[in-house]
PDB file of all heavy atoms in Angstrom:
ATOM      1  N   ILE A  24      91.911 110.946  93.481  1.00 94.00           N
ATOM      2  CA  ILE A  24      90.650 111.287  94.137  1.00 94.00           C
ATOM      3  C   ILE A  24      90.814 112.382  95.184  1.00 94.00           C
ATOM      4  O   ILE A  24      89.833 112.963  95.634  1.00 94.00           O
ATOM      5  CB  ILE A  24      90.002 110.057  94.816  1.00 94.00           C
ATOM      6  CG1 ILE A  24      90.973 109.410  95.816  1.00 94.00           C
ATOM      7  CG2 ILE A  24      89.487 109.081  93.804  1.00 94.00           C
ATOM      8  CD1 ILE A  24      90.307 108.439  96.756  1.00 94.00           C
ATOM      9  N   MET A  25      92.047 112.661  95.588  1.00 93.00           N
ATOM     10  CA  MET A  25      92.293 113.722  96.569  1.00 93.00           C
ATOM     11  C   MET A  25      93.053 114.860  95.905  1.00 93.00           C
ATOM     12  O   MET A  25      94.005 114.621  95.159  1.00 93.00           O
ATOM     13  CB  MET A  25      93.081 113.179  97.764  1.00 93.00           C
ATOM     14  CG  MET A  25      92.324 112.142  98.565  1.00 93.00           C
ATOM     15  SD  MET A  25      93.240 111.593 100.017  1.00 93.00           S
ATOM     16  CE  MET A  25      93.230 113.097 100.991  1.00 93.00           C
ATOM     17  N   GLY A  26      92.614 116.075  96.178  1.00 93.00           N
ATOM     18  CA  GLY A  26      93.220 117.222  95.517  1.00 93.00           C
ATOM     19  C   GLY A  26      93.830 118.209  96.489  1.00 93.00           C
ATOM     20  O   GLY A  26      93.368 118.362  97.617  1.00 93.00           O
ATOM     21  N   GLY A  27      94.897 118.877  96.028  1.00 89.00           N
ATOM     22  CA  GLY A  27      95.527 119.909  96.824  1.00 89.00           C
ATOM     23  C   GLY A  27      96.974 119.607  97.124  1.00 89.00           C
ATOM     24  O   GLY A  27      97.406 118.455  97.109  1.00 89.00           O
ATOM     25  N   GLY A  28      97.756 120.645  97.383  1.00 85.00           N
ATOM     26  CA  GLY A  28      99.147 120.450  97.779  1.00 85.00           C
ATOM     27  C   GLY A  28      99.990 119.850  96.678  1.00 85.00           C
ATOM     28  O   GLY A  28      99.918 120.236  95.518  1.00 85.00           O
ATOM     29  N   ASP A  29     100.787 118.850  97.054  1.00 85.00           N
ATOM     30  CA  ASP A  29     101.803 118.310  96.155  1.00 85.00           C
ATOM     31  C   ASP A  29     101.272 117.665  94.885  1.00 85.00           C
ATOM     32  O   ASP A  29     102.028 117.463  93.941  1.00 85.00           O
ATOM     33  CB  ASP A  29     102.642 117.268  96.917  1.00 85.00           C
ATOM     34  CG  ASP A  29     103.947 117.861  97.423  1.00 85.00           C
ATOM     35  OD1 ASP A  29     104.176 119.063  97.193  1.00 85.00           O
ATOM     36  OD2 ASP A  29     104.736 117.120  98.037  1.00 85.00           O
ATOM     37  N   MET A  30      99.996 117.300  94.852  1.00 91.00           N
ATOM     38  CA  MET A  30      99.515 116.566  93.678  1.00 91.00           C
ATOM     39  C   MET A  30      99.174 117.492  92.504  1.00 91.00           C
ATOM     40  O   MET A  30      98.796 117.036  91.435  1.00 91.00           O
ATOM     41  CB  MET A  30      98.325 115.688  94.040  1.00 91.00           C
ATOM     42  CG  MET A  30      97.126 116.411  94.622  1.00 91.00           C
ATOM     43  SD  MET A  30      96.022 117.145  93.396  1.00 91.00           S
ATOM     44  CE  MET A  30      95.458 115.716  92.541  1.00 91.00           C
ATOM     45  N   ILE A  31      99.330 118.806  92.697  1.00 89.00           N
ATOM     46  CA  ILE A  31      98.958 119.781  91.675  1.00 89.00           C
ATOM     47  C   ILE A  31     100.180 120.295  90.912  1.00 89.00           C
ATOM     48  O   ILE A  31     101.213 120.598  91.495  1.00 89.00           O
ATOM     49  CB  ILE A  31      98.237 120.982  92.338  1.00 89.00           C
ATOM     50  CG1 ILE A  31      96.876 120.545  92.891  1.00 89.00           C
ATOM     51  CG2 ILE A  31      98.093 122.139  91.374  1.00 89.00           C
ATOM     52  CD1 ILE A  31      95.901 120.109  91.831  1.00 89.00           C
ATOM     53  N   ARG A  32     100.024 120.403  89.571  1.00 91.00           N
ATOM     54  CA  ARG A  32     101.040 121.087  88.767  1.00 91.00           C
ATOM     55  C   ARG A  32     100.632 122.538  88.541  1.00 91.00           C
ATOM     56  O   ARG A  32     101.427 123.464  88.707  1.00 91.00           O
ATOM     57  CB  ARG A  32     101.222 120.379  87.417  1.00 91.00           C
ATOM     58  CG  ARG A  32     102.238 121.076  86.511  1.00 91.00           C
ATOM     59  CD  ARG A  32     102.461 120.328  85.210  1.00 91.00           C
ATOM     60  NE  ARG A  32     103.059 119.027  85.453  1.00 91.00           N
ATOM     61  CZ  ARG A  32     104.342 118.816  85.725  1.00 91.00           C
ATOM     62  NH1 ARG A  32     105.176 119.837  85.815  1.00 91.00           N
ATOM     63  NH2 ARG A  32     104.797 117.597  85.910  1.00 91.00           N
ATOM     64  N   SER A  33      99.371 122.728  88.164  1.00 93.00           N
ATOM     65  CA  SER A  33      98.884 124.097  87.959  1.00 93.00           C
ATOM     66  C   SER A  33      97.398 124.169  88.257  1.00 93.00           C
ATOM     67  O   SER A  33      96.675 123.189  88.092  1.00 93.00           O
ATOM     68  CB  SER A  33      99.150 124.555  86.518  1.00 93.00           C
ATOM     69  OG  SER A  33      98.377 123.791  85.607  1.00 93.00           O
ATOM     70  N   VAL A  34      96.963 125.355  88.709  1.00 93.00           N
ATOM     71  CA  VAL A  34      95.556 125.574  89.022  1.00 93.00           C
ATOM     72  C   VAL A  34      95.138 126.945  88.508  1.00 93.00           C
ATOM     73  O   VAL A  34      95.817 127.952  88.773  1.00 93.00           O
ATOM     74  CB  VAL A  34      95.288 125.505  90.544  1.00 93.00           C
ATOM     75  CG1 VAL A  34      93.796 125.740  90.839  1.00 93.00           C
ATOM     76  CG2 VAL A  34      95.725 124.176  91.117  1.00 93.00           C
ATOM     77  N   SER A  35      94.055 126.970  87.760  1.00 94.00           N
ATOM     78  CA  SER A  35      93.429 128.234  87.372  1.00 94.00           C
ATOM     79  C   SER A  35      92.050 128.276  88.022  1.00 94.00           C
ATOM     80  O   SER A  35      91.706 127.383  88.805  1.00 94.00           O
ATOM     81  CB  SER A  35      93.322 128.345  85.849  1.00 94.00           C
ATOM     82  OG  SER A  35      92.458 127.340  85.346  1.00 94.00           O
ATOM     83  N   ARG A  36      91.279 129.271  87.723  1.00 94.00           N
ATOM     84  CA  ARG A  36      89.978 129.387  88.370  1.00 94.00           C
ATOM     85  C   ARG A  36      89.089 128.168  88.118  1.00 94.00           C
ATOM     86  O   ARG A  36      88.351 127.730  89.004  1.00 94.00           O
ATOM     87  CB  ARG A  36      89.248 130.641  87.874  1.00 94.00           C
ATOM     88  CG  ARG A  36      89.818 131.947  88.416  1.00 94.00           C
ATOM     89  CD  ARG A  36      89.096 133.120  87.787  1.00 94.00           C
ATOM     90  NE  ARG A  36      89.680 134.385  88.238  1.00 94.00           N
ATOM     91  CZ  ARG A  36      89.204 135.102  89.258  1.00 94.00           C
ATOM     92  NH1 ARG A  36      88.158 134.669  89.930  1.00 94.00           N
ATOM     93  NH2 ARG A  36      89.778 136.242  89.582  1.00 94.00           N
ATOM     94  N   TYR A  37      89.154 127.609  86.919  1.00 95.00           N
ATOM     95  CA  TYR A  37      88.208 126.551  86.568  1.00 95.00           C
ATOM     96  C   TYR A  37      88.865 125.276  86.031  1.00 95.00           C
ATOM     97  O   TYR A  37      88.196 124.424  85.459  1.00 95.00           O
ATOM     98  CB  TYR A  37      87.195 127.085  85.544  1.00 95.00           C
ATOM     99  CG  TYR A  37      86.441 128.293  86.060  1.00 95.00           C
ATOM    100  CD1 TYR A  37      86.678 129.559  85.525  1.00 95.00           C
ATOM    101  CD2 TYR A  37      85.522 128.161  87.096  1.00 95.00           C
ATOM    102  CE1 TYR A  37      86.011 130.677  86.017  1.00 95.00           C
ATOM    103  CE2 TYR A  37      84.846 129.270  87.588  1.00 95.00           C
ATOM    104  CZ  TYR A  37      85.086 130.525  87.052  1.00 95.00           C
ATOM    105  OH  TYR A  37      84.422 131.616  87.548  1.00 95.00           O
ATOM    106  N   SER A  38      90.154 125.148  86.222  1.00 93.00           N
ATOM    107  CA  SER A  38      90.815 123.913  85.763  1.00 93.00           C
ATOM    108  C   SER A  38      92.113 123.703  86.528  1.00 93.00           C
ATOM    109  O   SER A  38      92.633 124.630  87.159  1.00 93.00           O
ATOM    110  CB  SER A  38      91.106 123.979  84.256  1.00 93.00           C
ATOM    111  OG  SER A  38      92.061 124.988  83.974  1.00 93.00           O
ATOM    112  N   CYS A  39      92.607 122.486  86.463  1.00 93.00           N
ATOM    113  CA  CYS A  39      93.899 122.173  87.089  1.00 93.00           C
ATOM    114  C   CYS A  39      94.528 120.986  86.384  1.00 93.00           C
ATOM    115  O   CYS A  39      93.854 120.222  85.692  1.00 93.00           O
ATOM    116  CB  CYS A  39      93.731 121.880  88.584  1.00 93.00           C
ATOM    117  SG  CYS A  39      92.595 120.537  88.961  1.00 93.00           S
ATOM    118  N   THR A  40      95.829 120.866  86.528  1.00 93.00           N
ATOM    119  CA  THR A  40      96.556 119.718  85.976  1.00 93.00           C
ATOM    120  C   THR A  40      97.329 119.044  87.096  1.00 93.00           C
ATOM    121  O   THR A  40      97.695 119.670  88.092  1.00 93.00           O
ATOM    122  CB  THR A  40      97.530 120.154  84.865  1.00 93.00           C
ATOM    123  OG1 THR A  40      98.455 121.108  85.397  1.00 93.00           O
ATOM    124  CG2 THR A  40      96.777 120.753  83.701  1.00 93.00           C
ATOM    125  N   TRP A  41      97.579 117.747  86.909  1.00 94.00           N
ATOM    126  CA  TRP A  41      98.199 116.953  87.962  1.00 94.00           C
ATOM    127  C   TRP A  41      99.720 116.977  87.874  1.00 94.00           C
ATOM    128  O   TRP A  41     100.298 117.127  86.800  1.00 94.00           O
ATOM    129  CB  TRP A  41      97.726 115.503  87.904  1.00 94.00           C
ATOM    130  CG  TRP A  41      96.259 115.295  87.765  1.00 94.00           C
ATOM    131  CD1 TRP A  41      95.631 114.365  86.975  1.00 94.00           C
ATOM    132  CD2 TRP A  41      95.207 115.993  88.449  1.00 94.00           C
ATOM    133  NE1 TRP A  41      94.276 114.457  87.109  1.00 94.00           N
ATOM    134  CE2 TRP A  41      93.976 115.438  88.012  1.00 94.00           C
ATOM    135  CE3 TRP A  41      95.170 117.040  89.374  1.00 94.00           C
ATOM    136  CZ2 TRP A  41      92.738 115.890  88.470  1.00 94.00           C
ATOM    137  CZ3 TRP A  41      93.942 117.502  89.843  1.00 94.00           C
ATOM    138  CH2 TRP A  41      92.756 116.924  89.399  1.00 94.00           C
ATOM    139  N   ASN A  42     100.328 116.753  89.019  1.00 92.00           N
ATOM    140  CA  ASN A  42     101.775 116.640  89.118  1.00 92.00           C
ATOM    141  C   ASN A  42     102.225 115.304  88.527  1.00 92.00           C
ATOM    142  O   ASN A  42     101.407 114.430  88.209  1.00 92.00           O
ATOM    143  CB  ASN A  42     102.199 116.750  90.591  1.00 92.00           C
ATOM    144  CG  ASN A  42     103.658 117.155  90.760  1.00 92.00           C
ATOM    145  OD1 ASN A  42     104.443 117.125  89.815  1.00 92.00           O
ATOM    146  ND2 ASN A  42     104.012 117.539  91.975  1.00 92.00           N
ATOM    147  N   ASP A  43     103.531 115.111  88.404  1.00 92.00           N
ATOM    148  CA  ASP A  43     104.084 113.842  87.935  1.00 92.00           C
ATOM    149  C   ASP A  43     103.863 112.758  88.980  1.00 92.00           C
ATOM    150  O   ASP A  43     103.559 113.032  90.153  1.00 92.00           O
ATOM    151  CB  ASP A  43     105.591 113.997  87.681  1.00 92.00           C
ATOM    152  CG  ASP A  43     105.899 114.998  86.574  1.00 92.00           C
ATOM    153  OD1 ASP A  43     105.053 115.162  85.669  1.00 92.00           O
ATOM    154  OD2 ASP A  43     106.981 115.615  86.628  1.00 92.00           O
ATOM    155  N   LEU A  44     104.076 111.520  88.553  1.00 94.00           N
ATOM    156  CA  LEU A  44     104.078 110.396  89.495  1.00 94.00           C
ATOM    157  C   LEU A  44     105.338 110.462  90.344  1.00 94.00           C
ATOM    158  O   LEU A  44     106.393 110.867  89.860  1.00 94.00           O
ATOM    159  CB  LEU A  44     104.053 109.063  88.737  1.00 94.00           C
ATOM    160  CG  LEU A  44     102.778 108.741  87.984  1.00 94.00           C
ATOM    161  CD1 LEU A  44     102.982 107.475  87.154  1.00 94.00           C
ATOM    162  CD2 LEU A  44     101.596 108.559  88.924  1.00 94.00           C
ATOM    163  N   PRO A  45     105.257 110.063  91.604  1.00 95.00           N
ATOM    164  CA  PRO A  45     104.090 109.529  92.328  1.00 95.00           C
ATOM    165  C   PRO A  45     103.279 110.595  93.038  1.00 95.00           C
ATOM    166  O   PRO A  45     102.262 110.295  93.659  1.00 95.00           O
ATOM    167  CB  PRO A  45     104.754 108.612  93.346  1.00 95.00           C
ATOM    168  CG  PRO A  45     106.019 109.333  93.707  1.00 95.00           C
ATOM    169  CD  PRO A  45     106.490 109.985  92.428  1.00 95.00           C
ATOM    170  N   TRP A  46     103.725 111.885  92.922  1.00 93.00           N
ATOM    171  CA  TRP A  46     103.119 112.946  93.732  1.00 93.00           C
ATOM    172  C   TRP A  46     101.667 113.205  93.353  1.00 93.00           C
ATOM    173  O   TRP A  46     100.899 113.769  94.130  1.00 93.00           O
ATOM    174  CB  TRP A  46     103.954 114.222  93.606  1.00 93.00           C
ATOM    175  CG  TRP A  46     105.397 113.947  93.913  1.00 93.00           C
ATOM    176  CD1 TRP A  46     105.923 113.511  95.098  1.00 93.00           C
ATOM    177  CD2 TRP A  46     106.495 114.050  93.009  1.00 93.00           C
ATOM    178  NE1 TRP A  46     107.283 113.347  94.992  1.00 93.00           N
ATOM    179  CE2 TRP A  46     107.667 113.670  93.719  1.00 93.00           C
ATOM    180  CE3 TRP A  46     106.618 114.432  91.682  1.00 93.00           C
ATOM    181  CZ2 TRP A  46     108.920 113.657  93.131  1.00 93.00           C
ATOM    182  CZ3 TRP A  46     107.876 114.417  91.089  1.00 93.00           C
ATOM    183  CH2 TRP A  46     109.012 114.039  91.818  1.00 93.00           C
ATOM    184  N   LYS A  47     101.295 112.777  92.165  1.00 95.00           N
ATOM    185  CA  LYS A  47      99.911 112.903  91.705  1.00 95.00           C
ATOM    186  C   LYS A  47      98.906 112.310  92.698  1.00 95.00           C
ATOM    187  O   LYS A  47      97.766 112.769  92.797  1.00 95.00           O
ATOM    188  CB  LYS A  47      99.807 112.198  90.343  1.00 95.00           C
ATOM    189  CG  LYS A  47      98.422 112.003  89.780  1.00 95.00           C
ATOM    190  CD  LYS A  47      98.551 111.213  88.476  1.00 95.00           C
ATOM    191  CE  LYS A  47      97.217 110.793  87.918  1.00 95.00           C
ATOM    192  NZ  LYS A  47      97.351 109.996  86.679  1.00 95.00           N
ATOM    193  N   PHE A  48      99.346 111.296  93.442  1.00 96.00           N
ATOM    194  CA  PHE A  48      98.459 110.619  94.398  1.00 96.00           C
ATOM    195  C   PHE A  48      98.788 110.955  95.858  1.00 96.00           C
ATOM    196  O   PHE A  48      98.284 110.298  96.765  1.00 96.00           O
ATOM    197  CB  PHE A  48      98.532 109.102  94.194  1.00 96.00           C
ATOM    198  CG  PHE A  48      97.968 108.648  92.874  1.00 96.00           C
ATOM    199  CD1 PHE A  48      98.801 108.401  91.797  1.00 96.00           C
ATOM    200  CD2 PHE A  48      96.604 108.489  92.708  1.00 96.00           C
ATOM    201  CE1 PHE A  48      98.283 107.992  90.572  1.00 96.00           C
ATOM    202  CE2 PHE A  48      96.073 108.085  91.491  1.00 96.00           C
ATOM    203  CZ  PHE A  48      96.913 107.832  90.413  1.00 96.00           C
ATOM    204  N   GLU A  49      99.642 111.958  96.077  1.00 95.00           N
ATOM    205  CA  GLU A  49     100.038 112.312  97.441  1.00 95.00           C
ATOM    206  C   GLU A  49      99.661 113.754  97.744  1.00 95.00           C
ATOM    207  O   GLU A  49     100.498 114.651  97.770  1.00 95.00           O
ATOM    208  CB  GLU A  49     101.547 112.082  97.634  1.00 95.00           C
ATOM    209  CG  GLU A  49     101.944 110.629  97.516  1.00 95.00           C
ATOM    210  CD  GLU A  49     103.427 110.398  97.779  1.00 95.00           C
ATOM    211  OE1 GLU A  49     104.124 111.352  98.175  1.00 95.00           O
ATOM    212  OE2 GLU A  49     103.890 109.263  97.576  1.00 95.00           O
ATOM    213  N   ALA A  50      98.378 113.967  97.988  1.00 94.00           N
ATOM    214  CA  ALA A  50      97.868 115.315  98.241  1.00 94.00           C
ATOM    215  C   ALA A  50      98.255 115.795  99.641  1.00 94.00           C
ATOM    216  O   ALA A  50      98.228 115.028 100.597  1.00 94.00           O
ATOM    217  CB  ALA A  50      96.354 115.336  98.091  1.00 94.00           C
ATOM    218  N   GLY A  51      98.608 117.078  99.747  1.00 93.00           N
ATOM    219  CA  GLY A  51      98.889 117.669 101.046  1.00 93.00           C
ATOM    220  C   GLY A  51     100.264 117.310 101.580  1.00 93.00           C
ATOM    221  O   GLY A  51     101.062 116.636 100.929  1.00 93.00           O
ATOM    222  N   THR A  52     100.527 117.778 102.798  1.00 93.00           N
ATOM    223  CA  THR A  52     101.815 117.495 103.429  1.00 93.00           C
ATOM    224  C   THR A  52     101.922 116.018 103.782  1.00 93.00           C
ATOM    225  O   THR A  52     101.012 115.443 104.383  1.00 93.00           O
ATOM    226  CB  THR A  52     101.993 118.346 104.699  1.00 93.00           C
ATOM    227  OG1 THR A  52     102.048 119.724 104.324  1.00 93.00           O
ATOM    228  CG2 THR A  52     103.270 117.971 105.441  1.00 93.00           C
ATOM    229  N   SER A  53     103.018 115.427 103.407  1.00 94.00           N
ATOM    230  CA  SER A  53     103.225 113.984 103.609  1.00 94.00           C
ATOM    231  C   SER A  53     103.611 113.665 105.051  1.00 94.00           C
ATOM    232  O   SER A  53     103.942 114.561 105.838  1.00 94.00           O
ATOM    233  CB  SER A  53     104.326 113.492 102.673  1.00 94.00           C
ATOM    234  OG  SER A  53     104.008 113.752 101.326  1.00 94.00           O
ATOM    235  N   ASN A  54     103.586 112.381 105.381  1.00 97.00           N
ATOM    236  CA  ASN A  54     104.145 111.895 106.640  1.00 97.00           C
ATOM    237  C   ASN A  54     105.662 111.839 106.440  1.00 97.00           C
ATOM    238  O   ASN A  54     106.227 110.783 106.168  1.00 97.00           O
ATOM    239  CB  ASN A  54     103.573 110.521 106.971  1.00 97.00           C
ATOM    240  CG  ASN A  54     104.104 109.951 108.278  1.00 97.00           C
ATOM    241  OD1 ASN A  54     104.943 110.558 108.938  1.00 97.00           O
ATOM    242  ND2 ASN A  54     103.633 108.782 108.649  1.00 97.00           N
ATOM    243  N   ILE A  55     106.287 112.994 106.574  1.00 98.00           N
ATOM    244  CA  ILE A  55     107.697 113.131 106.198  1.00 98.00           C
ATOM    245  C   ILE A  55     108.594 112.264 107.073  1.00 98.00           C
ATOM    246  O   ILE A  55     109.407 111.479 106.574  1.00 98.00           O
ATOM    247  CB  ILE A  55     108.131 114.607 106.289  1.00 98.00           C
ATOM    248  CG1 ILE A  55     107.241 115.470 105.395  1.00 98.00           C
ATOM    249  CG2 ILE A  55     109.598 114.757 105.877  1.00 98.00           C
ATOM    250  CD1 ILE A  55     107.390 116.960 105.623  1.00 98.00           C
TER     251      ILE A  55
END
């Protein structure tokens, strides 16, 4: 449900694909 940063594998103008698990659900910079 959250998009951007680490959860993305690829982004084009009108589509995107998700990263592998578990990063698919970890958008943005993590609490490192």
Side-chain angles (χ1 to χ4, degrees):
I24 56 165
M25 295 183 67
D29 262 1
M30 58 83 63
I31 292 295
R32 178 177 295 282
S33 66
V34 180
S35 64
R36 287 176 183 265
Y37 302 110
S38 66
C39 57
T40 58
W41 313 139
N42 201 347
D43 297 332
L44 292 173
W46 307 297
K47 170 183 172 182
F48 293 98
E49 295 183 7
T52 295
S53 302
N54 180 358
I55 303 168

